[in-house]
Every structure is written in structure tokens, then in C-alpha cells.
Amino acid sequence: MAYGQTGTGKTFTLGRLGEEDTSARGIMVRSMEEILVNVSRETDSISVSYLQLYMETIQDLLDPANDNISIVEDPRTGDVSLPGATHVEIKDEQSFLELLRLGEAHRIAANTKLNTESSRSHAILMVHVKRSVLGEEVAIPTESDKSSHFVKPPKPLVRKSKLVLVDLAGSERVQKSGSEGHMLEEAKSINLSLSALGKCINALAENSAHVPIRDSKLTRLLRDSFGGTARTSLIVTIGPSPRHRGETASTILFGQRAMKVENMLRIKEEFDYKSLARRLEIQLDKLIAENERQQKAFDDEVERINLEAQNRVSEVERNFTDALEKERLKCQMEYMESVKKLEEKMIENQQKHQHDGFMKDKCNGEGPGFCEDIAVIKKLLEKETHMRKEAEKEVNKLKSQLGQHMDAGAGGDAEILKLQIALEDEVHQKKKLEEEIIILRSQMLQLTFEADQMRRCLARGGSGNAYPGLDSPMSQVRDSLSGHKTPVSALFDQVGVEKILDLLESEDANVRIHAVKVVANLAAEEANQERIVEAGGLTSLLMLLRSYEDETVRRVAAGAIANLAMNEANQELIMVQGGISLLSTTASDAEDPQTLRMVAGAIANLCGNDKLQATLRSEGGIKALLGMVRCRHPDVLSQVARGIANFAKCESRASTNGIRSRRSLLIDEGALPWIVQSANNDAAPIRRHIELALCHLAQHEANAKDMINGGALWELVRITRDCSREDIRSLARRTLNSSLLFRSEMRRLRIEL
């Protein structure tokens, strides 16, 4: 630090650059040369801040726009820092000279009677040096031995140093310097800060209990230099003229008092936790990779051993099975041979016994008794033969009678079967006639309705006289058949909903298709929807959508479901009966644009129900709705846009009521890019629905960040200016003005509504 009267050479001593003569370099340049010589680029880093304290305001000489930097003190260590100051990393001496030259150009100086270039501020150069060092390795002792080959890795340390070079503004007496006006205020500020520095030096030299460090920003910045943890050098400059004897004496007394101040030097080291964590992460990754490699090798070895063991077990089992089969065949052959030998021996023994018995009876003289026995046996045999013949005759007689009865019964059964077949044909014919009657009646009523519409169109066009006979006959037919009701309502009343629904299960494809169309037309009128649902019409339509592959049936069934889905009560029934997942499946399978339009319309109606939001997402309804964009047909895209607008409106209502706090499910499903892309669609219905969807999405603050990143902000701004509908323009304007994020982004982009 350089201290002294103005014009005595403080700036010359500290800040001289020495561009023409290197021997005239100041302490700032010389100290940086010394630092650069003694640092290593691998372990050390140097950064510089250059400031000035002007009128009790800290200003950045490297960034003049930064003209009010605050001082921050660490409550734990008491260290002073300037977080708002510019830090420039120094690589060589030339870059440092450029910084000094830039700072000197921004430093404030003025011409006084005592000095033609009098510094009007205190210049402070801060050089920060950091060095990374490693601590000592520590061996980890074990239970068996005090030392071990396990070594704890050294802890990385960061050693910090700070060199502060202060070129104080010179103290001056106003009578001698001739300062006036603003320069007088500058002189007052300089003298006050130097006076506060002198008070602090006096208090430290006298070991006073209170040191008034907070009286000036200069003393707060230099609290480490006097009585702190720094090694401090003070340069005192004086003038040789006896005219300034008082100032010279005051300066020397300041230096004498400063020499009595004692500082406690301390090396500032701290752990480099980031470097240690980075190194440990690398080691951990290597260990994990090695462990995975070893685990994989172990698993491969175990698998190889298991496979080898299984092969060996299979081979042993196969050999054992073959040996067992051979042994079984051998035993079986031996058994058969033994049985054959025993049978031969038994026959031989029987023949031998019979021969011996006959010879014995003959030798004993029992011939007459034997003859009598033979006669008795012959009689019994004859009697038995006669009875058997009689029985056979009786059986034959009974068989013939049974055959006659069976022939008579077979003729009756054939007659009954013929009658049953005829009756079934009659029933089938009757059912077919009823179906044809219903079809013809509905066709006639629809033709009547179309003729009535044509007559009305001709009447409005003023061409009623061109067909004079058309009005009266058509009116008479219509009045006679429908009683001034629409043809569909007349069909509903005359035929009955149950019979119409029964036709949905007809085996005739044409009948089934026509019945679906009739149900769809009936469902278009709200008065008929309740009766259709009560009669099971919704269930029948869902079954048709699920089971039939005919594109016409699927299209018309989806249209009927879309009509029923306009009623909120029916929407919950559709959800309960699995209609959402069924519609999603149909949307992914179908390719016909009209079928997709009907399915999209049904899902769009369901999107307007607040209670079905979560179910629509979980069962794939939202994804199916967005998937139908692949068709690119304007009618399909219009229904998709309507569904998205209905869904966004329900979410906006939920967020306004405090029910929903997280971002939109539409954004989660990836709908935002398509919404932004379609905001300028040429088709008016698509564009109107998309504009409404954007407005509803923007009403929820949680969606604002995603909408800004996705480009929706520009579309909302365009809507406020170019939308053809006043209500949508007003809604977009209110939404943008009510959102903090949107307002902040518009200010940043300089967008005005």
C-alpha cells in the first residue's frame, strides 16, 4: 500500500507500466512477473480484479458499467470478498499489462495546483492465486498388523493467496490544491477515507478494544492488511519541499504508527471437494465396470458348468434308459420261454393222468354202469336241444313283432319331423318378412322426408310453380304415414326400439347395416337416446364395434356412439362398459377417413367431461386422438382439434378451481408440437378449435414454460392480433396479461400487445 501527500509519486511507484523503459516498471508489474515465474500452469491459476473507490462507491475499472459493487463478509471467518467484481484469468505478462492499461484509462484523475494528474480515487488491484496440492497418503492399519497395504488416497487441498496492491489517493489541503466545486467534494471524500484509515491504525497500534473498521469502505476492504492474516508492506511517499513540512511530518507519523501493528500470518488451505469427488467417481466407475466384468465372467462360467452338467446328466439318463430297456426285453423273453415250457409240461401231465384213469376203470369191470350213465346223459341232451329250438322259435316270433312295431313308429316320427321342419320354415319366413317390412317402411319414410326437404328447398327458391303437383301429394303421404313427425321418429313409434335393436344381430349383412343406420339416426335426437340406452342399444353398438370387421358397420356404429356420447350420463356408461379403450383400438386399426371421423367425434365428446380426464389418458383415448392425425383428412383433423379444445377447457376449469396443479396431460402426451403447427391451418374449424385450445392451456401457469419453449407464445400473440373472432382475441389477451412468465418473456422479447 502506498500512502502520502498528493503528487509525491504513489502511482509512479505502484502503477508505472514501464512500456518504454523496463527499469521504470512499478510494483504491480514487477509483482506479477514474480508470480508468473513461480507458478505452474498444471496446478496453479491466477485471476485479477482491478477496482477504484471513488466517493465511497466501489467501481470496476475492467467493466465501467459495474459502478456499485457491494462488500460481503463471511460471518464464520470474517474474510472480505467482492462477488460482483470482474475476475480475469491471467496467462502471461502481456495480458496483465493490457488489463492495467484498460483500468488506468477508466480511473478518475484531475488537474490541481499540486499535481497535473491527481488521482481522485483509491485504486485497488487484487491478484488471486490458487494452487492444488495433495495431502499425504495414510496407511490403514488392520487387526493383525499395525500397517497395511491398503492406503487411503491423499486428500486434494486448495491453497489460496491474495495479493492486494492499493494506490491510495493523496491527502491534500484545499488551500494548497485549489480544489473547487465537484473537485472539492472529491477531496473531502478522499480525506475522510484516509482519516478513517488513520483512526484504525491508531486503535490497532494502541491495542484498543474497538477498531472503527466500518467507518469507511476503504477500511473494510483493508481489514486483513492491518491486524489481520496478511503480510503487509507500507510505502510512504513524501515531498522534498519545505513548504509541505506539515504534510511530510503527518505522513511519517502515520508510518510509525502502522509499524506498531502486528499481523497473525496464516496459510489458507481448504479441501478441494469437487476434485476429490470427481476422482472418486472415476475410481467408482472403474470398480463398477471391473465388478460387472467379473460378474459377467462368473455368470458365463456358471452357465457353462450348468450346461455341461445337464449334458452329462442327459447322457447318463439316456444310457440308463437303454440298458433298462434291454434288461426288460431280456427278462420278458426268459419269462415267455418259462411259461411255454410249463404249459407243455402241464398238458403232458394231464394226458398222462387221463390215460391212467381210463385204464384203471376198465380194469376194475365197471362197464354196465358206465353205459347207463351215457344213456341218461343222451336223454338230457336231447331234451335240452328241444327246449333250445322252442326258445329260438319264440325269439324269432318276438323279433318279427318288434320289427312291425318299429316300422309303424318310424312312419309316425317321420311325419312329426316333416311337420316340425315346415313349422320352422314358416317361422323363418315370417321373421324375414317382418325384417323386409321394417326395411321397406323405413326406406319409404326416409324417401318421404327427402321429398319433403326438396319441396321446402324449391318453395324457398321461388320455383314452387314449376312442379305444381308435388306439394300436395307429398304432404298427404307424409301426414298419413308420420302424423307430422320426422320419418325417424315415426319409425321409432311404429316399429319399436326393441325390434330395431334385434335387427342388429340379424344374419343378413344388408339388414344389419340398415338397422345400424336407423339406430344412428335415432340417436341423433336427444329425446330417443334414453330409450335406446335403456333397451341395451349402447351395449349392442359397442359389441358391433368390437366384433364386426365390416367397415360400413364400424363406421355407422361409431357414429351412433358419437351421437350418444353427446349426453353426459351416456358418457359415463361408455366409460364403464370399456368404450374408451374400444374406441382407441378402432382408431388405431381403421384407415377409412369417415370411420376415423366418427371415432374422433366420439372421443372429442368424451373429452368434454371433467370426470373422464384421467380415464381417457390411462385407457389410451388421448393417444388415439392424436394418432388419428396421420389421416390428414380435414374432417378428421377438425374432430381431433375439437377434442383437444374440450380437453384443454376441462383442465383449465380444474386448475382455476384449484383441483389441478401440475402441467397439462396434453403436453405430457406430446400434443403441443401438433397444436402449434396447426394453429395456422387453412381450415377455419380446425384453426378455431386450436386457438381455443392454446388459450385454455395458457391459462394454467404450470404450462407456461413448456409453451414458451415450444413456440406457443408467438401463436398466442398472433391470435391477439389476427384472429377473426373477437371473443378468442380477448381471451388470448387476458391470458397473456395474467401470466407472470408470459409477461416476463414478452418484456425480454420486447413484444407489445
Side-chain angles (χ1 to χ4, degrees):
M1 180 170 60
Y3 180 88
Q5 185 186 3
T6 180
T8 55
K10 297 184 296 299
T11 303
F12 179 87
T13 304
L14 287 181
R16 189 75 179 272
L17 299 180
E19 294 177 340
E20 298 177 356
D21 184 7
T22 57
S23 62
R25 292 170 297 172
I27 292 177
M28 290 183 179
V29 179
R30 293 174 185 269
S31 60
M32 181 55 68
E33 289 178 354
E34 185 72 16
I35 291 172
L36 290 172
V37 170
N38 292 280
V39 296
S40 172
R41 292 192 177 184
E42 289 77 16
T43 59
D44 304 335
S45 64
I46 306 170
S47 61
V48 170
S49 298
Y50 200 9
L51 312 168
Q52 70 173 355
L53 179 62
Y54 175 71
M55 300 286 287
E56 285 301 304
T57 302
I58 300 175
Q59 301 176 355
D60 196 336
L61 291 176
L62 302 180
D63 183 11
N66 192 7
D67 57 358
N68 190 9
I69 301 173
S70 59
I71 301 173
V72 177
E73 296 182 13
D74 190 339
R76 182 172 57 86
T77 62
D79 292 341
V80 176
S81 62
L82 301 169
T86 302
H87 290 264
V88 180
E89 190 171 354
I90 300 299
K91 297 296 183 182
D92 51 24
E93 182 180 352
Q94 188 61 35
S95 61
F96 178 68
L97 291 175
E98 292 293 333
L99 287 177
L100 288 182
R101 192 177 294 109
L102 177 64
E104 288 297 328
H106 294 143
R107 191 176 177 187
I108 299 174
N111 184 10
T112 65
K113 292 180 180 180
L114 297 178
N115 190 357
T116 57
E117 292 185 3
S118 175
S119 300
R120 313 309 291 170
S121 64
H122 306 297
I124 304 166
L125 177 69
M126 292 185 178
V127 182
H128 300 272
V129 183
K130 293 183 181 180
R131 170 168 292 173
S132 299
V133 296
L134 294 176
E136 297 181 356
E137 295 182 348
V138 181
I140 302 174
T142 60
E143 296 180 357
S144 60
D145 190 5
K146 293 184 179 179
S147 63
S148 172
H149 64 279
F150 293 106
V151 177
K152 185 184 293 184
K155 297 180 179 179
L157 303 175
V158 175
R159 187 170 295 162
K160 297 182 178 180
S161 296
K162 180 173 66 174
L163 172 63
V164 182
L165 297 168
V166 184
D167 179 13
L168 295 172
S171 61
E172 61 181 64
R173 292 186 179 180
V174 178
Q175 294 86 353
K176 293 182 179 181
S177 64
S179 299
E180 297 178 351
H182 184 67
M183 291 177 58
L184 179 61
E185 297 298 324
E186 292 175 343
K188 289 180 182 179
S189 176
I190 293 169
N191 290 335
L192 282 174
S193 60
L194 293 175
S195 174
L197 179 62
K199 290 179 182 179
C200 291
I201 295 295
N202 289 338
L204 290 169
E206 296 172 359
N207 293 325
S208 175
H210 173 66
V211 180
I213 291 175
R214 294 187 174 276
D215 287 357
S216 172
K217 288 187 177 181
L218 177 64
T219 54
R220 291 179 66 189
L221 282 172
L222 301 178
R223 66 179 300 172
D224 282 344
S225 301
F226 294 97
T229 61
R231 176 183 287 132
T232 303
S233 298
L234 178 64
I235 299 172
V236 173
T237 60
I238 58 175
S241 174
R243 178 168 170 250
H244 304 305
R245 186 181 296 109
E247 288 84 350
T248 301
S250 174
T251 302
I252 294 173
L253 287 175
F254 176 84
Q256 288 179 339
R257 287 193 296 270
M259 290 176 63
K260 297 179 182 180
V261 178
E262 295 181 355
N263 288 0
M264 299 295 294
L265 303 184
R266 177 169 62 89
I267 296 177
K268 294 185 178 181
E269 291 181 342
E270 63 183 28
F271 289 123
D272 188 2
Y273 291 105
K274 292 183 179 179
S275 176
L276 178 61
R278 191 160 51 249
R279 195 165 69 224
L280 290 177
E281 285 178 356
I282 294 173
Q283 293 179 0
L284 181 61
D285 292 339
K286 290 181 180 179
L287 290 174
I288 290 174
E290 180 65 20
N291 184 36
E292 289 178 350
R293 187 187 64 77
Q294 294 179 358
Q295 184 67 31
K296 184 178 180 182
F298 176 76
D299 292 341
D300 293 342
E301 184 67 19
V302 170
E303 186 177 357
R304 186 186 65 79
I305 293 173
N306 287 335
L307 184 60
E308 184 178 351
Q310 289 177 2
N311 293 335
R312 293 181 62 184
V313 169
S314 300
E315 185 178 358
V316 171
E317 288 179 349
R318 188 165 54 253
N319 294 337
F320 178 75
T321 303
D322 294 342
L324 187 63
E325 183 67 20
K326 290 179 181 178
E327 188 68 24
R328 187 182 67 80
L329 291 173
K330 182 180 178 182
C331 293
Q332 189 174 3
M333 293 298 294
E334 292 178 353
Y335 172 75
M336 294 296 292
E337 290 178 359
S338 301
V339 170
K340 187 176 181 180
K341 290 180 180 179
L342 289 173
E343 287 179 349
E344 291 176 354
K345 192 173 182 181
M346 185 178 65
I347 293 171
E348 184 180 351
N349 290 335
Q350 286 179 355
Q351 290 177 355
K352 186 177 181 181
H353 286 305
Q354 289 178 1
H355 181 70
D356 291 343
F358 178 76
M359 294 300 294
K360 186 177 180 181
D361 292 338
K362 190 175 182 181
C363 293
N364 289 334
E366 295 180 357
F370 181 71
C371 294
E372 292 177 359
D373 291 336
I374 290 174
V376 172
I377 291 172
K378 284 183 177 180
K379 289 181 180 180
L380 291 173
L381 183 60
E382 290 175 357
K383 185 179 180 181
E384 194 69 30
T385 303
H386 179 71
M387 291 176 63
R388 182 177 177 182
K389 289 181 179 180
E390 293 292 332
E392 287 179 355
K393 290 180 180 179
E394 187 68 25
V395 168
N396 291 331
K397 184 179 180 181
L398 291 173
K399 281 183 178 181
S400 62
Q401 293 178 359
L402 181 60
Q404 292 176 0
H405 286 295
M406 288 182 67
D407 291 339
D413 291 340
E415 191 68 27
I416 293 171
L417 183 61
K418 192 179 294 183
L419 290 174
Q420 287 180 348
I421 292 172
L423 184 61
E424 288 177 359
D425 291 340
E426 290 293 334
V427 171
H428 182 71
Q429 192 69 20
K430 180 181 178 183
K431 185 176 180 181
K432 192 170 183 179
L433 288 173
E434 288 180 352
E435 292 176 356
E436 292 179 356
I437 289 170
I438 292 172
I439 292 171
L440 292 172
R441 185 178 294 175
S442 62
Q443 289 177 351
M444 183 176 64
L445 294 174
Q446 287 181 358
L447 289 173
T448 304
F449 178 72
E450 292 172 1
D452 187 39
Q453 293 295 326
M454 184 182 295
R455 181 189 58 78
R456 291 179 180 178
C457 292
L458 292 174
R460 284 196 299 267
S463 59
N465 295 329
Y467 302 94
L470 182 63
D471 191 345
S472 178
M474 288 298 175
S475 178
Q476 292 173 2
V477 171
R478 182 191 51 171
D479 294 343
S480 62
L481 289 176
S482 60
H484 298 285
K485 294 184 180 180
T486 63
V488 178
S489 300
L491 182 66
F492 196 65
D493 294 335
Q494 294 176 12
V495 178
V497 66
E498 289 80 7
K499 289 187 178 180
I500 297 175
L501 295 177
D502 288 340
L503 295 178
L504 295 177
E505 301 177 1
S506 175
E507 297 178 357
D508 191 342
N510 294 328
V511 174
R512 189 167 56 249
I513 292 172
H514 193 78
V516 176
K517 291 181 179 180
V518 172
V519 173
N521 291 331
L522 290 172
E525 298 183 12
E526 187 176 356
N528 303 330
Q529 292 180 359
E530 184 177 357
R531 292 174 61 185
I532 293 174
V533 173
E534 288 178 355
L538 177 59
T539 305
S540 300
L541 291 170
L542 292 173
M543 288 295 296
L544 285 175
L545 198 61
R546 181 183 292 109
S547 58
Y548 283 96
E549 297 181 358
D550 185 88
E551 195 65 36
T552 305
V553 174
R554 295 173 68 187
R555 179 176 67 251
V556 181
I561 294 172
N563 290 337
L564 292 176
M566 290 188 293
N567 191 317
E568 186 174 353
N570 296 339
Q571 292 171 358
E572 296 183 6
L573 287 175
I574 293 172
M575 179 195 69
V576 171
Q577 297 185 22
I580 296 177
S581 59
L582 186 58
L583 289 169
S584 304
T585 305
T586 307
S588 62
D589 295 340
E591 296 296 336
D592 179 50
Q594 297 306 319
T595 303
L596 291 175
R597 180 174 69 88
M598 297 299 181
V599 174
I603 297 178
N605 290 336
L606 297 175
C607 287
N609 193 322
D610 296 315
K611 302 175 184 178
L612 304 183
Q613 301 281 295
T615 308
L616 278 167
R617 186 191 182 189
S618 62
E619 295 189 6
I622 300 302
K623 188 171 293 184
L625 191 67
L626 296 174
M628 285 184 280
V629 174
R630 70 183 187 277
C631 178
R632 300 182 181 275
H633 194 279
D635 293 341
V636 178
L637 296 181
S638 176
Q639 295 299 327
V640 173
R642 184 170 68 87
I644 291 175
N646 289 343
F647 198 92
K649 183 177 182 180
C650 291
E651 285 191 327
S652 173
R653 193 158 50 234
S655 63
T656 303
N657 296 333
I659 301 173
R660 182 176 181 83
S661 59
R662 62 185 304 276
R663 71 176 186 175
S664 171
L665 295 176
L666 292 172
I667 297 178
D668 290 342
E669 291 292 337
L672 187 58
W674 184 81
I675 294 174
V676 174
Q677 180 184 356
S678 303
N680 283 315
N681 197 289
D682 295 335
I686 300 174
R687 187 172 61 253
R688 184 180 71 254
H689 291 310
I690 292 298
E691 289 172 348
L692 285 172
L694 283 171
C695 293
H696 291 314
L697 286 173
Q699 287 177 345
H700 191 16
E701 192 71 15
N703 302 331
K705 185 176 180 181
D706 293 285
M707 296 185 71
I708 292 172
N709 295 334
L713 175 60
W714 295 102
E715 294 302 329
L716 287 168
V717 173
R718 182 194 60 77
I719 291 170
T720 61
R721 298 171 179 174
D722 302 336
C723 183
S724 59
R725 288 182 49 174
E726 177 62 30
D727 56 340
I728 299 179
R729 289 203 305 272
S730 302
L731 179 60
R733 193 176 294 108
R734 287 198 309 272
T735 302
L736 290 175
N737 290 330
S738 63
S739 172
L740 295 176
L741 283 175
F742 283 136
R743 290 206 308 270
S744 175
E745 185 68 12
M746 287 192 294
R747 282 198 301 270
R748 188 181 71 82
L749 299 174
R750 298 179 181 177
I751 298 174
E752 295 182 0
L753 298 180

